[in-house]
């Protein structure tokens, strides 16, 4: 019985050990150095492939013609704006409960990227809507929800930047993230409900069509490309900020002198 | 348990006295509300039909902004007087203190707003029934708004651009309350049932009252850690 | 050519992709610039 429990706890143990190891700034910095090229080249590979395939080789849509190709920008960015929020929520918990300061720093970077993804989703959504519905903006449930998500991101970023003390700012922004997390489903539900009052039975232009395989694959590839890109940027910026925050430490001095910046 | 109860009563009494000694502040929010409501017909149109159409949204927006302004006093004075530091040092249940403060603030601030509702009904051509529903929905939804305002104020105590940050934090979070609050009045105008909306507003208020004081206490602790 | 014209939707498709490309590029430029600034800053800081 004991052997069985030990077998299951080993991978969990190593995971925790890894987490605590990585929570130390110096270890994090040196370990992630190798990750950067993976993310970078992954993004530079998959983004052009996915978007190029979607732009030129996927068959045009029956209803929307070639305009539907905007989906290869809109869906990945919208999806990432949401999933980055959950990443932020996870990092918030790491910061507030386990007091891992590095998590707070990363959360700030994730917030910036998440906001940009939400912005991209909104703009591509608007551009997509113009030929389809004749207006640059419609108070569609999904677009409105995305707009509110952007506003929440901006509120989090504003909260963080209002404080000069980074530790304080990170913690308060983390609380904002968690409050936003609880409020998001409520907001989502209320916006969708509000929208039914106005749209009635009209189908949203952004309702997910039954997407055929030749259209789906480039979507997945560009989604992967975007995700790798976001990971790359977040890691890059986080490492940069880490050097600045920890500049009083000896390991930073070593890094600078060895030219590893 | 006795301790908590006496703490609660003491804090309520303190807030009551504080408010009574500065009665003007209660009026300011109401006057602001009145001014904003007058602005709308001036900038939109005085046509009664249009005013009835937009009344629901406008009233709720104005109430939200008025409460945001009124809540600036929630923590600022005590922060400047060093009272908050004493709370932290005393080791008493900060969440309860915060709850007492906000509850009393709500009771005293919602009254002028509710008293103004007949005037709003007059300005925007609302019927007596619609006015009653408006008052009911405001009473049900305003606690949630006030707790969110307190959250926003706690986050922005002691930083430079208080007002803007507080507004940025408050507005997205308050969206559900605004949606259901204004929807209740519009439903009343169409003689549709409003029970569901009132129930949702009340539920949101209860949720806010239960969870936010603890969060606000956490924020105060972090804000004053230095 | 038909690919560039995007079935008449060229303006929309290309402006969307153009905005996305610009945004992604600007992010990269700013992050590398900041990195260089950081390097200079730290080098100066440690010389003292």
């Amino acid at each position: 019985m004991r052997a069985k429990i030990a077998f299951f706890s080993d991978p969990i143990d190593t995971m925790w050990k890894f987490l605590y190891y990585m929570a130390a700034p110096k270890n994090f910095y040196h370990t992630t150095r190798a990750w950067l090229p993976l993310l970078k080249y992954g993004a530079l590979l998959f983004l052009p492939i996915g978007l190029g395939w979607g732009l030129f080789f996927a068959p045009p849509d029956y209803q929307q013609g070639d305009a539907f190709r905007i989906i290869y920008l809109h869906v990945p960015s919208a999806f990432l704006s949401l999933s980055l929020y959950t990443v932020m929520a996870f990092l918030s918990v790491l910061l507030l409960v386990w007091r891992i300061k590095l998590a707070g720093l990363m959360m700030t970077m994730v917030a910036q990227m998440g906001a940009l993804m939400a912005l991209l989703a909104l703009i591509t959504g608007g551009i997509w809507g113009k030929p389809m519905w004749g207006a640059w903006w419609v108070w569609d449930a999904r677009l409105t929800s995305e707009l509110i998500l952007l506003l929440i991101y901006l509120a989090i970023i504003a909260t963080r930047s209002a404080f000069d003390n980074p530790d304080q700012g990170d913690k308060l922004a983390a609380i904002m993230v968690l409050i936003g997390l609880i409020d998001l489903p409520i907001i989502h539900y209320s916006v969708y409900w509000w929208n039914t009052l106005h749209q009635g039975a009209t189908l949203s232009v952004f309702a997910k069509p039954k997407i055929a395989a030749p259209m789906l694959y480039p979507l997945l590839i560009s989604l992967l490309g975007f995700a790798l890109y976001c990971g790359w940027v977040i890691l890059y910026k986080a490492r940069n900020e880490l050097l600045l925050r920890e500049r009083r430490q000896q390991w930073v001095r070593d890094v600078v002198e060895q030219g590893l910046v | 348990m006795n301790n908590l109860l006496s703490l609660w009563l003491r804090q309520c009494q303190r807030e009551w006295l504080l408010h009574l000694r500065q009665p003007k502040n209660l009026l300011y929010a109401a006057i602001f509300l009145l001014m904003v409501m007058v602005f709308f017909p001036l900038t939109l149109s005085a046509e009664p039909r249009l005013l009835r159409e937009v009344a629901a949204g406008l009233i709720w927006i104005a109430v939200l902004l008025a409460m945001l302004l009124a809540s600036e006093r929630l923590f600022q004075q005590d922060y400047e007087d060093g009272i908050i530091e004493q709370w932290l040092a005393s080791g008493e249940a900060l969440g309860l203190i915060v709850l007492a403060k906000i509850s009393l603030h709500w009771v005293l601030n919602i009254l002028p707003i509710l008293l103004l509702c007949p005037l709003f009904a007059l300005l925007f051509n609302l019927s007596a029934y619609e006015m009653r529903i408006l008052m009911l929905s405001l009473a049900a939804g305003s606690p949630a708004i006030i707790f969110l305002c307190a959250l926003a104020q706690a986050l922005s105590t002691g930083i430079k651009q208080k007002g803007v940050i507080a507004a940025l934090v408050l507005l997205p979070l308050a969206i559900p309350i605004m949606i259901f609050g204004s929807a209740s009045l519009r439903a009343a105008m169409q003689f549709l049932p409003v029970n569901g909306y009132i129930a949702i507003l009340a539920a949101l208020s209860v949720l806010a009252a239960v969870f936010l004081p603890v969060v606000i206490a956490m924020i105060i602790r972090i804000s004053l850690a230095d | 050519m038909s690919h560039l014209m995007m079935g008449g939707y060229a303006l929309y498709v290309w402006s969307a992709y153009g905005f996305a490309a610009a945004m992604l590029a600007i992010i990269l430029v700013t992050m590398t610039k900041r990195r260089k600034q950081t390097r200079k800053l730290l080098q100066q800081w440690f010389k003292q």
Side-chain angles (χ1 to χ4, degrees):
Chain A
M1 190 60 180
R2 257 241 175 121
K4 273 204 188 133
I5 295 175
F7 176 72
F8 280 118
S9 72
D10 266 344
I12 299 176
D13 251 353
T14 43
M15 198 181 78
W16 280 123
K17 281 195 188 125
F18 181 66
L19 201 66
Y20 277 119
Y21 174 79
M22 288 294 269
K26 175 180 175 189
N27 299 337
F28 177 82
Y29 189 84
H30 287 296
T31 313
T32 53
R33 182 154 181 263
W35 299 5
L36 277 182
L38 285 174
L39 293 169
K40 171 178 175 181
Y41 292 116
L44 291 178
L45 178 71
F46 288 111
L47 265 182
I49 290 182
L51 294 178
W53 186 348
L55 266 179
F56 299 117
F57 297 107
D61 181 65
Y62 172 66
Q63 285 170 319
Q64 299 184 15
D66 285 305
F68 98 100
R69 299 182 193 278
I70 299 181
I71 201 180
Y72 298 109
L73 293 174
H74 179 76
V75 169
S77 51
F79 178 83
L80 275 173
S81 71
L82 281 173
S83 42
L84 285 179
Y85 198 96
T86 55
V87 170
M88 271 202 311
F90 174 69
L91 291 171
S92 303
V93 173
L94 281 185
L95 174 65
L96 292 172
V97 176
W98 277 279
R99 306 191 188 284
I100 300 179
K101 286 195 186 164
L102 185 58
L105 189 155
M106 292 217 66
M107 196 191 75
T108 308
M109 302 300 137
V110 175
Q112 292 172 7
M113 215 44 211
L116 288 169
M117 286 293 114
L119 180 66
L120 183 62
L122 284 171
I123 291 190
T124 50
I127 295 179
W128 193 2
K130 176 64 172 163
M132 296 297 109
W133 285 82
W136 291 108
W137 177 263
V138 287
W139 286 98
D140 165 76
R142 275 186 54 178
L143 272 186
T144 310
S145 240
E146 190 72 33
L147 178 60
I148 296 175
L149 181 64
L150 177 62
L151 292 178
I152 294 184
Y153 268 116
L154 292 178
I156 293 169
I157 295 174
T159 307
R160 168 65 189 85
S161 57
F163 289 91
D164 292 325
N165 181 349
D167 290 328
Q168 221 180 21
D170 283 346
K171 282 201 200 140
L172 292 172
I175 295 182
M176 247 317 269
V177 168
L178 293 176
I179 303 260
L181 184 72
I182 298 176
D183 211 8
L184 269 174
I186 304 178
I187 293 175
H188 193 77
Y189 171 74
S190 60
V191 168
Y192 268 77
W193 175 87
W194 161 84
N195 197 246
T196 59
L197 291 183
H198 301 262
Q199 297 274 40
T202 325
L203 263 183
S204 163
V205 66
F206 302 109
K208 296 228 177 67
K210 300 279 189 297
I211 191 161
M215 296 178 180
L216 180 63
Y217 294 141
L219 184 62
L220 294 177
I221 295 178
S222 57
L223 180 60
L224 179 61
F226 267 100
L228 290 174
Y229 175 88
C230 286
W232 175 34
V233 172
I234 290 171
L235 190 59
Y236 191 99
K237 290 168 89 161
R239 294 174 85 242
N240 202 32
E241 281 313 301
L242 189 61
L243 286 181
L244 284 172
R245 268 203 213 180
E246 298 284 312
R247 63 180 180 273
R248 294 184 207 284
Q249 303 295 320
Q250 180 60 37
W251 70 267
V252 178
R253 184 183 284 265
D254 293 337
V255 160
V256 173
E257 278 165 15
Q258 289 165 20
L260 288 176
V261 181
Chain B
M1 211 40 179
N2 226 355
N3 245 344
L4 290 177
L5 193 59
S6 63
L7 176 64
W8 163 269
L9 288 173
R10 252 186 300 128
Q11 285 302 123
C12 284
Q13 192 185 24
R14 172 181 183 263
E15 296 299 322
W16 176 256
L17 285 174
L18 268 179
H19 274 103
L20 281 190
R21 283 175 191 157
Q22 296 171 308
K24 289 182 293 218
N25 291 306
L26 294 176
L27 282 180
Y28 292 157
I31 295 174
F32 170 80
L33 189 54
L34 189 57
M35 283 191 194
V36 173
M37 293 307 282
V38 170
F39 257 60
F40 286 129
L42 288 175
T43 52
L44 293 170
S45 128
E47 201 199 336
R49 226 171 17 103
L50 172 70
L51 288 181
R52 273 179 62 81
E53 287 252 2
V54 297
L58 295 181
I59 292 177
W60 275 87
I61 294 173
V63 166
L64 179 71
L65 294 176
M67 291 201 142
L68 177 61
L69 283 184
S71 64
E72 273 182 6
R73 290 187 60 252
L74 266 178
F75 297 114
Q76 197 58 27
Q77 248 186 351
D78 285 338
Y79 173 68
E80 285 166 6
D81 292 339
I83 304 286
I84 299 192
E85 288 188 34
Q86 287 192 349
W87 287 343
L88 289 174
S90 74
E92 306 247 33
L94 192 56
L96 198 64
I97 297 176
V98 165
L99 180 62
K101 184 185 254 294
I102 301 174
S103 307
L104 217 77
H105 186 89
W106 174 72
V107 169
L108 289 174
N109 270 297
I110 196 63
L111 282 180
I113 293 177
L114 290 178
L115 287 175
L116 277 179
C117 282
L119 187 57
F120 296 150
L122 189 64
L123 292 177
F124 284 75
N125 297 95
L126 304 176
S127 73
Y129 167 68
E130 288 157 1
M131 185 192 79
R132 281 202 307 275
I133 299 297
L134 174 65
M135 292 171 75
L136 184 60
S137 61
L138 280 177
S142 53
I145 296 181
I146 274 235
F147 278 99
L148 284 175
C149 286
L151 177 77
Q153 293 298 340
L155 271 172
S156 55
T157 322
I159 58 178
K160 285 151 271 172
Q161 288 169 308
K162 283 185 69 344
V164 180
I165 301 284
L168 285 180
V169 165
L170 173 68
L171 262 43
L173 296 177
I175 284 173
I177 305 163
M178 302 300 288
I179 287 181
F180 288 116
S182 53
S184 68
L185 183 55
R186 284 207 308 278
M189 285 181 180
Q190 293 170 337
F191 300 105
L192 292 168
V194 294
N195 294 331
Y197 302 120
I198 307 289
I200 292 179
L201 289 173
L204 289 174
S205 290
V206 167
L207 214 68
V210 166
F211 287 112
L212 289 184
V214 176
V215 177
I216 294 173
M218 217 191 306
I219 293 175
I220 292 179
R221 284 208 178 88
I222 296 175
S223 295
L224 282 118
D226 49 26
Chain C
M1 196 53 199
S2 79
H3 279 145
L4 283 182
M5 283 309 285
M6 285 291 152
Y9 294 116
L11 171 65
Y12 304 105
V13 176
W14 291 119
S15 57
Y17 275 78
F19 176 81
M23 191 180 97
L24 296 186
I26 292 176
I27 292 175
L28 294 183
V29 165
T30 49
M31 88 184 183
T32 42
K33 235 205 242 160
R34 184 158 167 81
R35 180 86 166 173
K36 293 200 180 104
Q37 271 178 346
T38 306
R39 184 182 306 149
K40 257 202 220 121
L41 202 73
L42 287 176
Q43 279 169 347
Q44 268 182 344
W45 206 74
F46 285 127
K47 276 211 177 73
Q48 293 150 3

